[in-house]
Amino acid sequence: MNDVPVNPNNMVETSDSLEAVGVFRAWKNIFFAIVLICLLLTQAAFWAVDLGFIEAPGTVKPADAALGSTDAAAATAAVEPNDKGLVQGLVGEFDFDLVARVIGVASGILIVSGILFALAVFFCLMVSLVGRLGGINHISRAFILGLIMAALIIPWQRLFGSNVVGVAYGADELLRWLDAKGEGLPNVIFYYLRFTALWVVVLLLLIMSQVRSSGWSKSILRRLEII
């Protein structure tokens, strides 16, 4: 049924609907790019701290722990000028405070852009329904995927504690999980599930939603016999 050409008498309404589709689709693509960049930034910050490229406050290096408190202080003072890590050596002064600011800004933008992405897909769905443009299967699936993605981004842990978490996080939360990481294998598993596995799920939902919405655009053009 979706392959039947649109009635010529309705081309004016269809043209208006297509203009609205163009606007919402453009903003959807912009929000997609912003969400993707913020996801990459938060994950890069996590691995920079987790792998020790950025030294987190309160962490103790194994070599320092073996030397003891007195010898460790002397050793730290001796190597401090050159002990900057890989990232610091490449970009200069790149400490945990800077990473914390990057995490905060990226997480904040991620929350807003993720919600706006889902809203843009929703408006595309509404325009497609009102204008009877077709491709409802694709855009409906894209909206559901985008809605789930936005729900998983929101930092629910700020409201409900650590029992319910979202992809967005703060530097203070990362430090708490780092401390709990050394308390046993279960904590290590939950640590990587929280910061890596959940991130992968959100990334896949974002990509699948974008792919579905692209299929919706092609379906509209095919139905209108533009391509």
Side-chain angles (χ1 to χ4, degrees):
M1 183 178 294
N2 287 343
D3 294 331
V4 178
V6 176
N7 191 328
N9 296 329
N10 297 328
M11 285 306 297
V12 175
E13 291 81 359
T14 302
S15 177
D16 292 339
S17 298
L18 287 176
E19 290 180 3
V21 164
V23 172
F24 289 124
R25 185 176 60 181
W27 280 104
K28 174 186 64 67
N29 293 335
I30 292 174
F31 293 136
F32 168 80
I34 295 175
V35 171
L36 182 60
I37 292 172
C38 291
L39 283 174
L40 294 176
L41 284 175
T42 55
Q43 190 66 192
F46 163 73
W47 284 111
V49 175
D50 182 71
L51 296 178
F53 295 149
I54 302 297
E55 185 177 353
T59 57
V60 179
K61 297 181 180 179
D64 293 344
L67 288 173
S69 58
T70 304
D71 295 338
T76 302
V79 301
E80 186 175 0
N82 296 324
D83 189 17
K84 293 184 177 181
L86 177 61
V87 177
Q88 290 95 326
L90 292 176
V91 299
E93 292 297 329
F94 197 66
D95 55 8
F96 186 81
D97 291 336
L98 179 58
V99 173
R101 289 194 294 270
V102 170
I103 292 174
V105 173
S107 295
I109 297 176
L110 177 62
I111 296 170
V112 176
S113 58
I115 295 174
L116 291 177
F117 175 83
L119 285 176
V121 178
F122 172 74
F123 285 125
C124 289
L125 172 61
M126 290 296 99
V127 172
S128 188
L129 285 172
V130 174
R132 298 181 179 180
L133 299 178
I136 301 300
N137 179 50
H138 291 291
I139 195 61
S140 297
R141 292 176 183 271
F143 171 64
I144 295 299
L145 293 171
L147 188 63
I148 297 174
M149 178 212 67
L152 292 179
I153 287 177
I154 297 175
W156 301 107
Q157 62 271 17
R158 299 291 183 180
L159 299 175
F160 305 109
S162 58
N163 293 327
V164 182
V165 297
V167 167
Y169 65 94
D172 56 339
E173 182 182 357
L174 178 58
L175 290 177
R176 289 196 303 269
W177 279 87
L178 275 173
D179 293 337
K181 178 185 175 183
E183 297 178 0
L185 181 60
N187 287 336
V188 174
I189 295 175
F190 284 119
Y191 171 77
Y192 286 107
L193 285 176
R194 188 261 176 272
F195 286 102
T196 303
L198 184 59
W199 180 88
V200 171
V201 171
V202 169
L203 180 64
L204 291 177
L205 288 172
L206 174 67
I207 294 175
M208 288 189 295
S209 179
Q210 181 71 359
V211 170
R212 279 291 183 177
S213 62
S214 299
W216 163 72
S217 301
K218 294 179 181 178
S219 177
I220 290 177
L221 297 178
R222 190 180 303 111
R223 182 172 186 263
L224 297 175
E225 296 184 344
I226 297 178
I227 60 174

